[in-house]
Amino acid sequence: RVGVDQQPRESGWSILNLVTAYELTDEQQYLDWALICWNRHLKPRWQRDGVGFGAGEFGLQMFYCTHGLIGLHRWTQDPGILQYIEAAVLAVDAAREPWQFSRELGAFFSDYWGYLAVVLNRPEYLLKGREYLQMRIPTAAEDRVFDSGTRTVTKEVAKALRNGHILQWAEQRFAAD
């Protein structure tokens, strides 16, 4: 079908939804379908276009795949997913300038660093996770909670609120050791 998976986040969000369905039902078919999204959409795109899944706006698109891919790796232990996650954080960290959307980069990649710290037993990755989360902390008061003028929660605030929890989990895992 034309138009399917034009943006990598479409597969990333599908994976996240399927992993969530698996967690709720324990039905293997959801993980199988999520792996199809990874193996037929995101993995070939990574191999063809690099960790950003392409140029330009796709820097942001790859960030939206973060939680789906972490969940899918957690439940399947697919080594290719872990290879992608580590390749992504190392490539972006080596040269941040070409990556757009630095606030999103900080929010989403803090969780990637935290996840890698635990699954690879690399506590030094927590420092990177903290550094990336710090990038996301807003400096203007109106960016912290509400859209100035309307007093409603903004999309940007919602992004911040739904990220960082995997880094916090990682911090707790290492604090307990």
Side-chain angles (χ1 to χ4, degrees):
R1 183 175 116 192
V2 175
V4 172
D5 200 37
Q6 292 298 308
Q7 299 179 340
R9 69 180 167 187
E10 295 169 6
S11 288
W13 285 338
S14 295
I15 290 169
L16 178 59
N17 289 329
L18 290 164
V19 168
T20 301
Y22 169 76
E23 291 170 343
L24 292 170
T25 66
D26 204 30
E27 293 180 26
Q28 182 63 36
Q29 69 183 359
Y30 295 114
L31 289 182
D32 295 342
W33 294 338
L35 281 169
I36 289 170
C37 291
W38 164 252
N39 286 315
R40 293 190 187 166
H41 296 264
L42 293 179
K43 185 177 179 181
R45 200 164 187 160
W46 162 39
Q47 293 169 337
R48 183 187 72 219
D49 299 329
V51 296
F53 300 127
E57 71 181 54
F58 294 119
L60 178 60
Q61 298 297 312
M62 80 182 225
F63 305 151
Y64 289 137
C65 298
T66 302
H67 295 106
L69 290 178
I70 287 172
L72 187 58
H73 180 264
R74 175 178 180 241
W75 292 110
T76 66
Q77 296 298 300
D78 182 302
I81 298 168
L82 190 62
Q83 289 171 351
Y84 169 76
I85 292 171
E86 190 168 32
V89 298
L90 294 175
V92 170
D93 194 55
R96 291 185 200 167
E97 294 77 28
W99 297 95
Q100 299 175 9
F101 310 102
S102 62
R103 290 175 68 164
E104 286 85 356
L105 169 65
F108 291 99
F109 269 44
S110 65
D111 282 336
Y112 267 158
W113 284 109
Y115 185 71
L116 288 171
V118 172
V119 299
L120 298 176
N121 195 27
R122 303 278 309 264
E124 67 273 17
Y125 280 4
L126 292 177
L127 297 174
K128 284 291 183 185
R130 292 175 199 147
E131 178 184 332
Y132 276 75
L133 189 60
Q134 183 70 29
M135 291 169 56
R136 179 56 184 104
I137 297 172
T139 54
E142 64 271 7
D143 289 341
R144 292 188 185 130
V145 180
F146 298 107
D147 181 17
S148 60
T150 66
R151 303 294 292 165
T152 59
V153 175
T154 67
K155 179 175 108 174
E156 297 308 311
V157 170
K159 285 179 192 174
L161 292 174
R162 71 177 189 248
N163 289 285
H165 57 283
I166 295 173
L167 176 62
Q168 291 174 356
W169 163 80
E171 295 276 5
Q172 291 174 346
R173 292 285 301 262
F174 280 101
D177 289 343

PDB file of all heavy atoms in Angstrom, residues 101-134:
ATOM      1  N   PHE A 101      16.393  18.832  16.514  1.00  0.00           N
ATOM      2  CA  PHE A 101      15.481  18.602  17.626  1.00  0.00           C
ATOM      3  C   PHE A 101      16.226  18.224  18.899  1.00  0.00           C
ATOM      4  O   PHE A 101      15.996  17.167  19.479  1.00  0.00           O
ATOM      5  CB  PHE A 101      14.458  17.513  17.266  1.00  0.00           C
ATOM      6  CG  PHE A 101      13.788  17.747  15.941  1.00  0.00           C
ATOM      7  CD1 PHE A 101      14.175  17.042  14.825  1.00  0.00           C
ATOM      8  CD2 PHE A 101      12.795  18.696  15.814  1.00  0.00           C
ATOM      9  CE1 PHE A 101      13.568  17.257  13.602  1.00  0.00           C
ATOM     10  CE2 PHE A 101      12.187  18.921  14.594  1.00  0.00           C
ATOM     11  CZ  PHE A 101      12.574  18.207  13.489  1.00  0.00           C
ATOM     12  N   SER A 102      17.117  19.088  19.346  1.00  0.00           N
ATOM     13  CA  SER A 102      17.964  18.743  20.484  1.00  0.00           C
ATOM     14  C   SER A 102      17.157  18.495  21.756  1.00  0.00           C
ATOM     15  O   SER A 102      17.560  17.672  22.584  1.00  0.00           O
ATOM     16  CB  SER A 102      19.004  19.831  20.734  1.00  0.00           C
ATOM     17  OG  SER A 102      18.388  21.050  21.058  1.00  0.00           O
ATOM     18  N   ARG A 103      16.032  19.159  21.926  1.00  0.00           N
ATOM     19  CA  ARG A 103      15.245  18.897  23.137  1.00  0.00           C
ATOM     20  C   ARG A 103      14.701  17.475  23.125  1.00  0.00           C
ATOM     21  O   ARG A 103      14.717  16.780  24.130  1.00  0.00           O
ATOM     22  CB  ARG A 103      14.122  19.914  23.270  1.00  0.00           C
ATOM     23  CG  ARG A 103      14.664  21.302  23.603  1.00  0.00           C
ATOM     24  CD  ARG A 103      13.598  22.331  23.621  1.00  0.00           C
ATOM     25  NE  ARG A 103      12.708  22.071  24.750  1.00  0.00           N
ATOM     26  CZ  ARG A 103      11.863  22.951  25.222  1.00  0.00           C
ATOM     27  NH1 ARG A 103      11.778  24.135  24.679  1.00  0.00           N
ATOM     28  NH2 ARG A 103      11.083  22.658  26.230  1.00  0.00           N
ATOM     29  N   GLU A 104      14.206  17.033  21.976  1.00  0.00           N
ATOM     30  CA  GLU A 104      13.719  15.662  21.887  1.00  0.00           C
ATOM     31  C   GLU A 104      14.869  14.669  22.009  1.00  0.00           C
ATOM     32  O   GLU A 104      14.738  13.621  22.620  1.00  0.00           O
ATOM     33  CB  GLU A 104      12.970  15.422  20.573  1.00  0.00           C
ATOM     34  CG  GLU A 104      11.598  16.046  20.542  1.00  0.00           C
ATOM     35  CD  GLU A 104      11.624  17.513  20.126  1.00  0.00           C
ATOM     36  OE1 GLU A 104      12.708  18.091  19.935  1.00  0.00           O
ATOM     37  OE2 GLU A 104      10.536  18.090  19.993  1.00  0.00           O
ATOM     38  N   LEU A 105      15.996  15.015  21.427  1.00  0.00           N
ATOM     39  CA  LEU A 105      17.177  14.165  21.526  1.00  0.00           C
ATOM     40  C   LEU A 105      17.483  13.892  22.991  1.00  0.00           C
ATOM     41  O   LEU A 105      17.691  12.749  23.396  1.00  0.00           O
ATOM     42  CB  LEU A 105      18.371  14.839  20.847  1.00  0.00           C
ATOM     43  CG  LEU A 105      19.743  14.218  21.060  1.00  0.00           C
ATOM     44  CD1 LEU A 105      19.804  12.845  20.437  1.00  0.00           C
ATOM     45  CD2 LEU A 105      20.817  15.122  20.482  1.00  0.00           C
ATOM     46  N   GLY A 106      17.492  14.927  23.788  1.00  0.00           N
ATOM     47  CA  GLY A 106      17.772  14.763  25.207  1.00  0.00           C
ATOM     48  C   GLY A 106      16.741  13.917  25.918  1.00  0.00           C
ATOM     49  O   GLY A 106      17.077  13.046  26.722  1.00  0.00           O
ATOM     50  N   ALA A 107      15.477  14.142  25.605  1.00  0.00           N
ATOM     51  CA  ALA A 107      14.421  13.405  26.285  1.00  0.00           C
ATOM     52  C   ALA A 107      14.457  11.928  25.950  1.00  0.00           C
ATOM     53  O   ALA A 107      14.459  11.067  26.835  1.00  0.00           O
ATOM     54  CB  ALA A 107      13.061  13.995  25.918  1.00  0.00           C
ATOM     55  N   PHE A 108      14.474  11.604  24.697  1.00  0.00           N
ATOM     56  CA  PHE A 108      14.386  10.207  24.293  1.00  0.00           C
ATOM     57  C   PHE A 108      15.694   9.452  24.535  1.00  0.00           C
ATOM     58  O   PHE A 108      15.679   8.306  24.973  1.00  0.00           O
ATOM     59  CB  PHE A 108      13.978  10.094  22.826  1.00  0.00           C
ATOM     60  CG  PHE A 108      12.563  10.519  22.577  1.00  0.00           C
ATOM     61  CD1 PHE A 108      12.279  11.781  22.088  1.00  0.00           C
ATOM     62  CD2 PHE A 108      11.508   9.667  22.841  1.00  0.00           C
ATOM     63  CE1 PHE A 108      10.970  12.180  21.856  1.00  0.00           C
ATOM     64  CE2 PHE A 108      10.196  10.057  22.614  1.00  0.00           C
ATOM     65  CZ  PHE A 108       9.922  11.314  22.122  1.00  0.00           C
ATOM     66  N   PHE A 109      16.816  10.072  24.258  1.00  0.00           N
ATOM     67  CA  PHE A 109      18.076   9.359  24.373  1.00  0.00           C
ATOM     68  C   PHE A 109      18.496   9.134  25.817  1.00  0.00           C
ATOM     69  O   PHE A 109      19.291   8.253  26.094  1.00  0.00           O
ATOM     70  CB  PHE A 109      19.168  10.053  23.555  1.00  0.00           C
ATOM     71  CG  PHE A 109      19.247   9.515  22.152  1.00  0.00           C
ATOM     72  CD1 PHE A 109      18.104   9.279  21.408  1.00  0.00           C
ATOM     73  CD2 PHE A 109      20.456   9.226  21.578  1.00  0.00           C
ATOM     74  CE1 PHE A 109      18.163   8.765  20.124  1.00  0.00           C
ATOM     75  CE2 PHE A 109      20.540   8.710  20.288  1.00  0.00           C
ATOM     76  CZ  PHE A 109      19.392   8.478  19.570  1.00  0.00           C
ATOM     77  N   SER A 110      17.971   9.891  26.750  1.00  0.00           N
ATOM     78  CA  SER A 110      18.270   9.596  28.153  1.00  0.00           C
ATOM     79  C   SER A 110      17.791   8.191  28.492  1.00  0.00           C
ATOM     80  O   SER A 110      18.463   7.452  29.226  1.00  0.00           O
ATOM     81  CB  SER A 110      17.630  10.635  29.075  1.00  0.00           C
ATOM     82  OG  SER A 110      16.212  10.583  29.000  1.00  0.00           O
ATOM     83  N   ASP A 111      16.653   7.796  27.946  1.00  0.00           N
ATOM     84  CA  ASP A 111      16.138   6.455  28.205  1.00  0.00           C
ATOM     85  C   ASP A 111      16.960   5.382  27.491  1.00  0.00           C
ATOM     86  O   ASP A 111      17.196   4.301  28.042  1.00  0.00           O
ATOM     87  CB  ASP A 111      14.665   6.357  27.805  1.00  0.00           C
ATOM     88  CG  ASP A 111      13.758   7.000  28.847  1.00  0.00           C
ATOM     89  OD1 ASP A 111      14.164   7.108  30.026  1.00  0.00           O
ATOM     90  OD2 ASP A 111      12.632   7.395  28.489  1.00  0.00           O
ATOM     91  N   TYR A 112      17.404   5.658  26.275  1.00  0.00           N
ATOM     92  CA  TYR A 112      18.280   4.697  25.598  1.00  0.00           C
ATOM     93  C   TYR A 112      19.553   4.463  26.420  1.00  0.00           C
ATOM     94  O   TYR A 112      19.982   3.332  26.617  1.00  0.00           O
ATOM     95  CB  TYR A 112      18.689   5.212  24.223  1.00  0.00           C
ATOM     96  CG  TYR A 112      17.832   4.775  23.056  1.00  0.00           C
ATOM     97  CD1 TYR A 112      17.834   5.513  21.881  1.00  0.00           C
ATOM     98  CD2 TYR A 112      17.063   3.618  23.078  1.00  0.00           C
ATOM     99  CE1 TYR A 112      17.091   5.127  20.779  1.00  0.00           C
ATOM    100  CE2 TYR A 112      16.319   3.221  21.989  1.00  0.00           C
ATOM    101  CZ  TYR A 112      16.329   3.973  20.840  1.00  0.00           C
ATOM    102  OH  TYR A 112      15.598   3.585  19.752  1.00  0.00           O
ATOM    103  N   TRP A 113      20.176   5.540  26.884  1.00  0.00           N
ATOM    104  CA  TRP A 113      21.404   5.401  27.673  1.00  0.00           C
ATOM    105  C   TRP A 113      21.132   4.603  28.945  1.00  0.00           C
ATOM    106  O   TRP A 113      21.932   3.752  29.348  1.00  0.00           O
ATOM    107  CB  TRP A 113      21.994   6.764  28.013  1.00  0.00           C
ATOM    108  CG  TRP A 113      22.705   7.439  26.891  1.00  0.00           C
ATOM    109  CD1 TRP A 113      22.287   8.546  26.205  1.00  0.00           C
ATOM    110  CD2 TRP A 113      23.966   7.079  26.311  1.00  0.00           C
ATOM    111  NE1 TRP A 113      23.209   8.882  25.240  1.00  0.00           N
ATOM    112  CE2 TRP A 113      24.248   8.000  25.282  1.00  0.00           C
ATOM    113  CE3 TRP A 113      24.883   6.065  26.558  1.00  0.00           C
ATOM    114  CZ2 TRP A 113      25.399   7.950  24.515  1.00  0.00           C
ATOM    115  CZ3 TRP A 113      26.044   6.008  25.796  1.00  0.00           C
ATOM    116  CH2 TRP A 113      26.287   6.941  24.783  1.00  0.00           C
ATOM    117  N   GLY A 114      20.021   4.883  29.618  1.00  0.00           N
ATOM    118  CA  GLY A 114      19.685   4.147  30.838  1.00  0.00           C
ATOM    119  C   GLY A 114      19.470   2.668  30.580  1.00  0.00           C
ATOM    120  O   GLY A 114      19.956   1.812  31.327  1.00  0.00           O
ATOM    121  N   TYR A 115      18.750   2.357  29.506  1.00  0.00           N
ATOM    122  CA  TYR A 115      18.500   0.958  29.173  1.00  0.00           C
ATOM    123  C   TYR A 115      19.814   0.232  28.877  1.00  0.00           C
ATOM    124  O   TYR A 115      20.059  -0.860  29.383  1.00  0.00           O
ATOM    125  CB  TYR A 115      17.545   0.862  27.988  1.00  0.00           C
ATOM    126  CG  TYR A 115      17.152  -0.555  27.653  1.00  0.00           C
ATOM    127  CD1 TYR A 115      16.296  -1.271  28.491  1.00  0.00           C
ATOM    128  CD2 TYR A 115      17.647  -1.196  26.522  1.00  0.00           C
ATOM    129  CE1 TYR A 115      15.938  -2.579  28.200  1.00  0.00           C
ATOM    130  CE2 TYR A 115      17.295  -2.503  26.225  1.00  0.00           C
ATOM    131  CZ  TYR A 115      16.439  -3.189  27.062  1.00  0.00           C
ATOM    132  OH  TYR A 115      16.090  -4.485  26.775  1.00  0.00           O
ATOM    133  N   LEU A 116      20.650   0.863  28.088  1.00  0.00           N
ATOM    134  CA  LEU A 116      21.943   0.253  27.764  1.00  0.00           C
ATOM    135  C   LEU A 116      22.803   0.061  29.009  1.00  0.00           C
ATOM    136  O   LEU A 116      23.527  -0.932  29.117  1.00  0.00           O
ATOM    137  CB  LEU A 116      22.691   1.103  26.738  1.00  0.00           C
ATOM    138  CG  LEU A 116      22.137   1.080  25.321  1.00  0.00           C
ATOM    139  CD1 LEU A 116      22.838   2.131  24.464  1.00  0.00           C
ATOM    140  CD2 LEU A 116      22.265  -0.297  24.694  1.00  0.00           C
ATOM    141  N   ALA A 117      22.744   1.003  29.940  1.00  0.00           N
ATOM    142  CA  ALA A 117      23.530   0.883  31.168  1.00  0.00           C
ATOM    143  C   ALA A 117      23.204  -0.429  31.880  1.00  0.00           C
ATOM    144  O   ALA A 117      24.110  -1.139  32.334  1.00  0.00           O
ATOM    145  CB  ALA A 117      23.273   2.068  32.094  1.00  0.00           C
ATOM    146  N   VAL A 118      21.924  -0.770  31.945  1.00  0.00           N
ATOM    147  CA  VAL A 118      21.506  -1.980  32.650  1.00  0.00           C
ATOM    148  C   VAL A 118      21.796  -3.233  31.830  1.00  0.00           C
ATOM    149  O   VAL A 118      22.428  -4.165  32.321  1.00  0.00           O
ATOM    150  CB  VAL A 118      20.013  -1.911  33.029  1.00  0.00           C
ATOM    151  CG1 VAL A 118      19.522  -3.243  33.580  1.00  0.00           C
ATOM    152  CG2 VAL A 118      19.783  -0.799  34.038  1.00  0.00           C
ATOM    153  N   VAL A 119      21.331  -3.273  30.578  1.00  0.00           N
ATOM    154  CA  VAL A 119      21.437  -4.533  29.828  1.00  0.00           C
ATOM    155  C   VAL A 119      22.877  -4.852  29.435  1.00  0.00           C
ATOM    156  O   VAL A 119      23.209  -6.020  29.252  1.00  0.00           O
ATOM    157  CB  VAL A 119      20.507  -4.583  28.596  1.00  0.00           C
ATOM    158  CG1 VAL A 119      19.054  -4.472  29.014  1.00  0.00           C
ATOM    159  CG2 VAL A 119      20.862  -3.551  27.576  1.00  0.00           C
ATOM    160  N   LEU A 120      23.724  -3.851  29.321  1.00  0.00           N
ATOM    161  CA  LEU A 120      25.129  -4.088  28.996  1.00  0.00           C
ATOM    162  C   LEU A 120      26.027  -4.015  30.234  1.00  0.00           C
ATOM    163  O   LEU A 120      27.236  -4.167  30.120  1.00  0.00           O
ATOM    164  CB  LEU A 120      25.615  -3.077  27.955  1.00  0.00           C
ATOM    165  CG  LEU A 120      24.920  -3.119  26.600  1.00  0.00           C
ATOM    166  CD1 LEU A 120      25.446  -2.002  25.704  1.00  0.00           C
ATOM    167  CD2 LEU A 120      25.085  -4.481  25.930  1.00  0.00           C
ATOM    168  N   ASN A 121      25.404  -3.735  31.392  1.00  0.00           N
ATOM    169  CA  ASN A 121      26.144  -3.562  32.643  1.00  0.00           C
ATOM    170  C   ASN A 121      27.256  -2.534  32.474  1.00  0.00           C
ATOM    171  O   ASN A 121      28.421  -2.780  32.779  1.00  0.00           O
ATOM    172  CB  ASN A 121      26.705  -4.885  33.171  1.00  0.00           C
ATOM    173  CG  ASN A 121      27.147  -4.760  34.614  1.00  0.00           C
ATOM    174  OD1 ASN A 121      26.622  -3.940  35.359  1.00  0.00           O
ATOM    175  ND2 ASN A 121      28.128  -5.557  35.014  1.00  0.00           N
ATOM    176  N   ARG A 122      26.846  -1.368  31.987  1.00  0.00           N
ATOM    177  CA  ARG A 122      27.778  -0.258  31.758  1.00  0.00           C
ATOM    178  C   ARG A 122      27.322   0.948  32.592  1.00  0.00           C
ATOM    179  O   ARG A 122      26.663   1.852  32.081  1.00  0.00           O
ATOM    180  CB  ARG A 122      27.808   0.122  30.271  1.00  0.00           C
ATOM    181  CG  ARG A 122      28.175  -0.979  29.295  1.00  0.00           C
ATOM    182  CD  ARG A 122      29.665  -1.202  29.156  1.00  0.00           C
ATOM    183  NE  ARG A 122      30.435  -0.034  28.890  1.00  0.00           N
ATOM    184  CZ  ARG A 122      30.830   0.370  27.681  1.00  0.00           C
ATOM    185  NH1 ARG A 122      30.510  -0.324  26.613  1.00  0.00           N
ATOM    186  NH2 ARG A 122      31.560   1.447  27.549  1.00  0.00           N
ATOM    187  N   PRO A 123      27.613   0.958  33.884  1.00  0.00           N
ATOM    188  CA  PRO A 123      27.128   2.052  34.735  1.00  0.00           C
ATOM    189  C   PRO A 123      27.583   3.428  34.262  1.00  0.00           C
ATOM    190  O   PRO A 123      26.908   4.431  34.538  1.00  0.00           O
ATOM    191  CB  PRO A 123      27.672   1.723  36.122  1.00  0.00           C
ATOM    192  CG  PRO A 123      28.672   0.641  35.938  1.00  0.00           C
ATOM    193  CD  PRO A 123      28.408  -0.009  34.625  1.00  0.00           C
ATOM    194  N   GLU A 124      28.688   3.498  33.523  1.00  0.00           N
ATOM    195  CA  GLU A 124      29.131   4.803  33.015  1.00  0.00           C
ATOM    196  C   GLU A 124      28.121   5.392  32.034  1.00  0.00           C
ATOM    197  O   GLU A 124      28.097   6.607  31.812  1.00  0.00           O
ATOM    198  CB  GLU A 124      30.521   4.697  32.370  1.00  0.00           C
ATOM    199  CG  GLU A 124      30.589   3.870  31.099  1.00  0.00           C
ATOM    200  CD  GLU A 124      30.803   2.374  31.303  1.00  0.00           C
ATOM    201  OE1 GLU A 124      30.593   1.868  32.425  1.00  0.00           O
ATOM    202  OE2 GLU A 124      31.179   1.710  30.323  1.00  0.00           O
ATOM    203  N   TYR A 125      27.281   4.557  31.464  1.00  0.00           N
ATOM    204  CA  TYR A 125      26.240   5.056  30.558  1.00  0.00           C
ATOM    205  C   TYR A 125      25.186   5.871  31.311  1.00  0.00           C
ATOM    206  O   TYR A 125      24.467   6.663  30.711  1.00  0.00           O
ATOM    207  CB  TYR A 125      25.579   3.914  29.797  1.00  0.00           C
ATOM    208  CG  TYR A 125      26.362   3.407  28.598  1.00  0.00           C
ATOM    209  CD1 TYR A 125      27.628   3.890  28.270  1.00  0.00           C
ATOM    210  CD2 TYR A 125      25.827   2.427  27.783  1.00  0.00           C
ATOM    211  CE1 TYR A 125      28.321   3.420  27.172  1.00  0.00           C
ATOM    212  CE2 TYR A 125      26.517   1.945  26.673  1.00  0.00           C
ATOM    213  CZ  TYR A 125      27.766   2.446  26.378  1.00  0.00           C
ATOM    214  OH  TYR A 125      28.442   1.978  25.273  1.00  0.00           O
ATOM    215  N   LEU A 126      25.085   5.685  32.627  1.00  0.00           N
ATOM    216  CA  LEU A 126      24.170   6.517  33.402  1.00  0.00           C
ATOM    217  C   LEU A 126      24.563   7.988  33.324  1.00  0.00           C
ATOM    218  O   LEU A 126      23.704   8.873  33.292  1.00  0.00           O
ATOM    219  CB  LEU A 126      24.132   6.071  34.863  1.00  0.00           C
ATOM    220  CG  LEU A 126      23.503   4.715  35.152  1.00  0.00           C
ATOM    221  CD1 LEU A 126      23.607   4.403  36.636  1.00  0.00           C
ATOM    222  CD2 LEU A 126      22.066   4.657  34.683  1.00  0.00           C
ATOM    223  N   LEU A 127      25.861   8.252  33.310  1.00  0.00           N
ATOM    224  CA  LEU A 127      26.324   9.642  33.196  1.00  0.00           C
ATOM    225  C   LEU A 127      25.840  10.262  31.887  1.00  0.00           C
ATOM    226  O   LEU A 127      25.429  11.417  31.858  1.00  0.00           O
ATOM    227  CB  LEU A 127      27.846   9.710  33.303  1.00  0.00           C
ATOM    228  CG  LEU A 127      28.451   9.243  34.619  1.00  0.00           C
ATOM    229  CD1 LEU A 127      29.967   9.222  34.534  1.00  0.00           C
ATOM    230  CD2 LEU A 127      27.976  10.119  35.757  1.00  0.00           C
ATOM    231  N   LYS A 128      25.907   9.488  30.817  1.00  0.00           N
ATOM    232  CA  LYS A 128      25.408   9.980  29.528  1.00  0.00           C
ATOM    233  C   LYS A 128      23.905  10.191  29.600  1.00  0.00           C
ATOM    234  O   LYS A 128      23.375  11.178  29.082  1.00  0.00           O
ATOM    235  CB  LYS A 128      25.745   9.003  28.402  1.00  0.00           C
ATOM    236  CG  LYS A 128      27.183   9.051  27.984  1.00  0.00           C
ATOM    237  CD  LYS A 128      27.458  10.353  27.287  1.00  0.00           C
ATOM    238  CE  LYS A 128      28.876  10.411  26.783  1.00  0.00           C
ATOM    239  NZ  LYS A 128      29.178  11.719  26.213  1.00  0.00           N
ATOM    240  N   GLY A 129      23.207   9.270  30.230  1.00  0.00           N
ATOM    241  CA  GLY A 129      21.759   9.419  30.371  1.00  0.00           C
ATOM    242  C   GLY A 129      21.391  10.689  31.104  1.00  0.00           C
ATOM    243  O   GLY A 129      20.490  11.430  30.696  1.00  0.00           O
ATOM    244  N   ARG A 130      22.111  10.974  32.181  1.00  0.00           N
ATOM    245  CA  ARG A 130      21.858  12.210  32.941  1.00  0.00           C
ATOM    246  C   ARG A 130      22.151  13.442  32.092  1.00  0.00           C
ATOM    247  O   ARG A 130      21.417  14.432  32.131  1.00  0.00           O
ATOM    248  CB  ARG A 130      22.726  12.231  34.192  1.00  0.00           C
ATOM    249  CG  ARG A 130      22.362  11.198  35.205  1.00  0.00           C
ATOM    250  CD  ARG A 130      23.350  11.211  36.366  1.00  0.00           C
ATOM    251  NE  ARG A 130      23.275   9.957  37.091  1.00  0.00           N
ATOM    252  CZ  ARG A 130      24.308   9.383  37.682  1.00  0.00           C
ATOM    253  NH1 ARG A 130      25.502   9.953  37.658  1.00  0.00           N
ATOM    254  NH2 ARG A 130      24.151   8.246  38.324  1.00  0.00           N
ATOM    255  N   GLU A 131      23.242  13.384  31.351  1.00  0.00           N
ATOM    256  CA  GLU A 131      23.615  14.505  30.484  1.00  0.00           C
ATOM    257  C   GLU A 131      22.514  14.776  29.449  1.00  0.00           C
ATOM    258  O   GLU A 131      22.138  15.920  29.216  1.00  0.00           O
ATOM    259  CB  GLU A 131      24.929  14.170  29.783  1.00  0.00           C
ATOM    260  CG  GLU A 131      25.430  15.213  28.823  1.00  0.00           C
ATOM    261  CD  GLU A 131      26.693  14.743  28.093  1.00  0.00           C
ATOM    262  OE1 GLU A 131      27.465  13.925  28.642  1.00  0.00           O
ATOM    263  OE2 GLU A 131      26.883  15.202  26.962  1.00  0.00           O
ATOM    264  N   TYR A 132      21.995  13.727  28.852  1.00  0.00           N
ATOM    265  CA  TYR A 132      20.961  13.899  27.840  1.00  0.00           C
ATOM    266  C   TYR A 132      19.641  14.370  28.457  1.00  0.00           C
ATOM    267  O   TYR A 132      18.949  15.205  27.874  1.00  0.00           O
ATOM    268  CB  TYR A 132      20.772  12.611  27.031  1.00  0.00           C
ATOM    269  CG  TYR A 132      21.767  12.516  25.908  1.00  0.00           C
ATOM    270  CD1 TYR A 132      23.097  12.195  26.148  1.00  0.00           C
ATOM    271  CD2 TYR A 132      21.393  12.790  24.602  1.00  0.00           C
ATOM    272  CE1 TYR A 132      24.026  12.129  25.134  1.00  0.00           C
ATOM    273  CE2 TYR A 132      22.323  12.733  23.572  1.00  0.00           C
ATOM    274  CZ  TYR A 132      23.635  12.400  23.842  1.00  0.00           C
ATOM    275  OH  TYR A 132      24.543  12.360  22.824  1.00  0.00           O
ATOM    276  N   LEU A 133      19.305  13.868  29.629  1.00  0.00           N
ATOM    277  CA  LEU A 133      18.082  14.333  30.280  1.00  0.00           C
ATOM    278  C   LEU A 133      18.189  15.818  30.624  1.00  0.00           C
ATOM    279  O   LEU A 133      17.225  16.574  30.473  1.00  0.00           O
ATOM    280  CB  LEU A 133      17.794  13.506  31.531  1.00  0.00           C
ATOM    281  CG  LEU A 133      16.436  13.748  32.178  1.00  0.00           C
ATOM    282  CD1 LEU A 133      15.294  13.427  31.226  1.00  0.00           C
ATOM    283  CD2 LEU A 133      16.308  12.948  33.465  1.00  0.00           C
ATOM    284  N   GLN A 134      19.367  16.242  31.051  1.00  0.00           N
ATOM    285  CA  GLN A 134      19.595  17.659  31.377  1.00  0.00           C
ATOM    286  C   GLN A 134      19.358  18.550  30.158  1.00  0.00           C
ATOM    287  O   GLN A 134      18.888  19.674  30.296  1.00  0.00           O
ATOM    288  CB  GLN A 134      21.019  17.848  31.912  1.00  0.00           C
ATOM    289  CG  GLN A 134      21.340  19.257  32.334  1.00  0.00           C
ATOM    290  CD  GLN A 134      20.605  19.664  33.593  1.00  0.00           C
ATOM    291  OE1 GLN A 134      20.290  18.838  34.434  1.00  0.00           O
ATOM    292  NE2 GLN A 134      20.303  20.938  33.718  1.00  0.00           N
TER     293      GLN A 134
END
